[in-house]
């Protein structure tokens, strides 16, 4: 493959309006995409007393059951995941009768307090109305049954399954008097209790309520409207936060995994304003420390080129901050162009107009390294292959367990080390 030809196939960031405008360089992506069914499983797995019922082919049910068996929070082979496998007859004549018969057995055996009825591609193709079926089952058995649609042919990855499952939880919520707690919405990885944000809240005497989908119960979901504010730590939970705001008046703060200290400070400021509490002095101290570190290492970042692969951070917010510091993103890989990224994309374009491609295309992208000659690759790549090209890898995965100024301190410190490594690698590559 020819690196120049590959770059010629890629649009610049300024040329794309939706994710459909962003190409992928190979039919297969590394390490492969997951369908929304996996996202639904991840979300239901975090709701301790909910049962997931997958409706679809035997392949889909096998995939999810295997996944559930590997996750402790699902309870193993006889845990909180079961399937209704459709036959050719069901696909031809409809699955309603089979679903009603199967659900009777499920209720008798599992005695669930809440059921997520997860439909797969075949259901969406044949058009069975599982929203109506879920309503019928709810009334008949007097338990909440929520339909979640996870067809893969309409989306790129597993995030829609997460988003739809989290949003479906709104129907479980009850209107109640507002208290002083906070809900944490959208945390996918790590333990919120280990983050800076958690410690700041606990030190301020703020009670943590529902944590969805990282760990909650049906009871906590029902009383989620008691929260004084919702903290949205990933865009997948924005639809739920907006619905709660419209119906219950619960304000929300978008506190994604930001790296820009100014955005982190704004999120903290908004949060404590909604909580009607004074901003802790330690937050101002952490902000000043982050800005001090930024000022200290900014000169070493000027003109440093990089290719963005993947990280726990919000893709465009991360790249906007790096561009502001003087670094040059040459290629950005992303499978999402969320509406919330509009401001960050505009900020990137103030400094540079990088190529954009779907993640992750590391096989064909290796041919552009000789053309771009970046110093750094952000994400997962083969370190030895990159080193021969004079490129160092920045692994940002540990930041997946961080929230707040700790994240920017981590990334700035590691950036400095990575750039020093890259300069040594470039010397080696020219020998």
């Amino acid at each position: 493959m020819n690196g120049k030809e590959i770059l010629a196939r890629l649009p610049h960031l300024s040329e794309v309006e939706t994710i459909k405008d962003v190409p992928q360089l190979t039919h297969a992506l590394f390490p492969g995409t997951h369908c929304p069914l996996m996202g639904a499983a991840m979300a239901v797995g975090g709701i301790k007393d909910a049962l997931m019922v997958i409706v679809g082919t035997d392949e889909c049910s096998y995939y999810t059951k295997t996944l559930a068996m590997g996750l402790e929070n699902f309870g193993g082979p006889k845990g909180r995941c079961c399937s209704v496998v459709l036959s050719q007859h069901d696909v031809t004549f409809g699955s309603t009768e089979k679903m009603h018969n199967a659900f009777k057995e499920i209720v008798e055996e599992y005695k669930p307090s809440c059921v997520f009825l997860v439909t797969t591609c075949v259901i969406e193709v044949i058009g069975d109305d599982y929203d109506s079926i879920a309503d019928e089952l709810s009334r008949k058995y007097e338990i909440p049954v929520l339909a979640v649609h996870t067809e893969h042919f309409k989306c790129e990855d597993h995030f829609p399954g997460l988003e739809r499952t989290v949003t479906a939880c709104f129907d479980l919520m009850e209107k109640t008097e507002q208290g002083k707690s906070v809900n944490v919405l959208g945390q996918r990885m790590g333990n919120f209790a280990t983050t800076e944000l958690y410690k700041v809240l606990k030190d301020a005497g703020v009670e943590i309520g529902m944590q969805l989908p990282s760990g909650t119960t049906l009871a906590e979901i029902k009383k989620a409207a008691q929260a004084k504010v919702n903290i949205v730590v990933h865009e997948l939970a924005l639809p739920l936060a907006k619905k709660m705001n419209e119906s219950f008046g619960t304000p929300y703060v978008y506190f994604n995994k930001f790296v820009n200290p100014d955005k982190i400070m704004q999120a903290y400021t908004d949060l404590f304003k909604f909580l009607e509490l004074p901003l802790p002095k330690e937050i101002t101290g952490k902000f000043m420390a982050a800005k001090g570190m930024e000022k200290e290492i900014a000169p070493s970042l000027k003109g440093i080129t990089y290719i963005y692969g993947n990280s726990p951070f919000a893709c465009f917010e991360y790249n906007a901050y790096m561009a502001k510091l003087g670094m040059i993103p040459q290629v950005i890989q992303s499978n999402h162009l969320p509406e919330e990224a509009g401001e960050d994309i505009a900020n990137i374009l103030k400094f540079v107009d990088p190529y954009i491609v779907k993640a992750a295309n590391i096989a064909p992208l290796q041919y552009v390294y000789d053309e771009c000659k970046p110093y750094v690759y952000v994400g997962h790549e083969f370190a030895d292959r990159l080193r021969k090209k004079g490129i160092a890898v920045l692994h940002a995965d540990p930041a997946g367990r961080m929230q707040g100024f700790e994240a920017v301190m981590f990334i700035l410190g590691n950036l400095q080390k990575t750039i020093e490594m890259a300069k040594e690698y470039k010397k080696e590559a020219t020998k």
Side-chain angles (χ1 to χ4, degrees):
M1 299 179 76
N2 182 288
K4 288 183 179 179
E5 292 178 359
I6 290 175
L7 289 175
R9 292 165 54 189
L10 300 183
H12 288 278
L13 182 59
S14 63
E15 298 171 330
V16 303
E17 295 182 1
T18 71
I19 195 63
K20 292 181 180 179
D21 301 324
V22 180
Q24 61 187 63
L25 296 178
T26 54
H27 292 293
L29 299 178
F30 176 82
T33 60
H34 296 290
C35 78
L37 180 56
M38 177 185 176
M42 292 170 67
V44 178
I47 304 171
K48 298 173 185 176
D49 43 5
L51 177 70
M52 180 170 70
V53 178
I54 305 110
V55 189
T57 63
D58 49 2
E59 291 91 345
C60 291
S61 61
Y62 175 80
Y63 164 74
T64 313
K65 192 68 174 180
T66 303
L67 171 69
M69 286 171 63
L71 299 175
E72 291 183 6
N73 56 2
F74 263 108
K78 295 184 178 180
R80 300 185 294 108
C81 176
C82 59
S83 308
V84 177
V85 179
L86 303 187
S87 66
Q88 187 173 349
H89 179 275
D90 302 319
V91 172
T92 304
F93 297 101
S95 61
T96 302
E97 183 179 355
K98 184 168 194 172
M99 186 65 243
H100 276 271
N101 292 336
F103 202 84
K104 182 176 183 295
E105 294 181 23
I106 289 168
V107 170
E108 290 173 353
E109 181 174 350
Y110 288 89
K111 297 178 175 55
S113 54
C114 174
V115 176
F116 286 83
L117 207 55
V118 181
T119 67
T120 56
C121 292
V122 65
I123 291 295
E124 304 305 321
V125 170
I126 65 178
D128 283 358
D129 186 356
Y130 267 76
D131 291 314
S132 295
I133 291 173
D135 289 341
E136 292 170 3
L137 295 172
S138 292
R139 290 193 298 270
K140 183 174 182 179
Y141 294 97
E142 298 182 335
I143 58 173
V145 181
L146 308 175
V148 178
H149 305 274
T150 63
E151 70 282 2
H152 197 185
F153 55 83
K154 291 183 181 178
C155 56
E156 299 285 343
D157 51 35
H158 63 290
F159 280 101
L162 270 163
E163 179 183 300
R164 292 169 192 173
T165 308
V166 167
T167 306
C169 291
F170 173 80
D171 292 332
L172 300 171
M173 297 177 184
E174 301 170 351
K175 195 171 184 64
T176 183
E177 290 186 12
Q178 190 183 72
K180 297 182 179 181
S181 63
V182 299
N183 295 324
V184 180
L185 308 181
Q187 175 135 348
R188 301 176 299 117
M189 300 178 293
N191 183 353
F192 182 67
T194 67
T195 66
E196 170 195 298
L197 176 55
Y198 174 86
K199 183 178 183 301
V200 168
L201 290 168
K202 295 302 286 185
D203 288 348
V206 178
E207 180 185 348
I208 311 299
M210 178 184 69
Q211 296 185 49
L212 184 69
S214 57
T216 189
T217 64
L218 178 59
E220 288 176 339
I221 295 173
K222 284 182 176 180
K223 64 180 183 180
Q226 287 182 349
K228 195 172 183 66
V229 60
N230 284 323
I231 306 174
V232 179
V233 298
H234 192 281
E235 65 198 44
L236 71 89
L238 279 172
L240 174 61
K242 291 175 181 178
K243 292 188 77 167
M244 291 182 67
N245 179 251
E246 292 169 3
S247 297
F248 306 128
T250 311
Y252 68 89
V253 174
Y254 188 41
F255 203 141
N256 206 333
K257 210 168 290 293
F258 297 135
V259 289
N260 188 330
D262 297 324
K263 279 203 168 188
I264 298 169
M265 186 63 178
Q266 187 61 57
Y268 269 123
T269 302
D270 292 343
L271 174 58
F272 276 86
K273 182 180 178 181
F274 283 130
L275 288 170
E276 299 180 289
L277 293 173
L279 186 70
K281 291 182 180 179
E282 66 172 305
I283 295 302
T284 304
K286 289 177 183 293
F287 174 66
M288 297 304 295
K291 295 296 282 186
M293 188 173 190
E294 175 189 293
K295 184 177 180 180
E296 179 185 340
I297 75 167
S300 65
L301 305 183
K302 298 288 185 185
I304 296 296
T305 53
Y306 70 93
I307 290 176
Y308 180 87
N310 61 308
S311 78
F313 299 108
C315 169
F316 297 101
E317 193 272 340
Y318 176 93
N319 285 285
Y321 181 56
M322 294 300 118
K324 178 185 175 183
L325 294 181
M327 294 188 72
I328 303 172
Q330 297 169 299
V331 180
I332 293 176
Q333 298 179 66
S334 179
N335 286 333
H336 301 277
L337 276 174
E339 291 182 13
E340 293 72 28
E343 181 183 351
D344 293 318
I345 290 173
N347 287 333
I348 294 170
L349 295 176
K350 288 178 183 178
F351 302 99
V352 63
D353 192 5
Y355 294 105
I356 184 166
V357 65
K358 286 211 177 122
N361 286 281
I362 66 171
L365 275 181
Q366 66 181 296
Y367 298 98
V368 310
Y369 298 155
D370 289 334
E371 300 297 326
C372 295
K373 296 181 172 57
Y375 281 85
V376 175
Y377 185 99
V378 181
H380 301 135
E381 235 282 29
F382 296 104
D384 289 341
R385 178 164 73 189
L386 291 175
R387 182 169 183 168
K388 293 174 183 176
K389 300 287 185 180
I391 307 166
V393 180
L394 175 64
H395 290 297
D397 286 358
R401 300 185 294 273
M402 301 176 185
Q403 197 78 41
F405 291 109
E406 59 182 348
V408 65
M409 300 294 279
F410 167 84
I411 207 68
L412 289 178
N414 279 274
L415 254 179
Q416 194 169 31
K417 296 175 185 176
T418 304
I419 291 168
E420 291 172 0
M421 289 169 53
K423 290 178 178 178
E424 290 298 318
Y425 293 168
K426 288 198 178 295
K427 290 178 184 178
E428 294 175 5
T430 55
K431 290 182 181 178

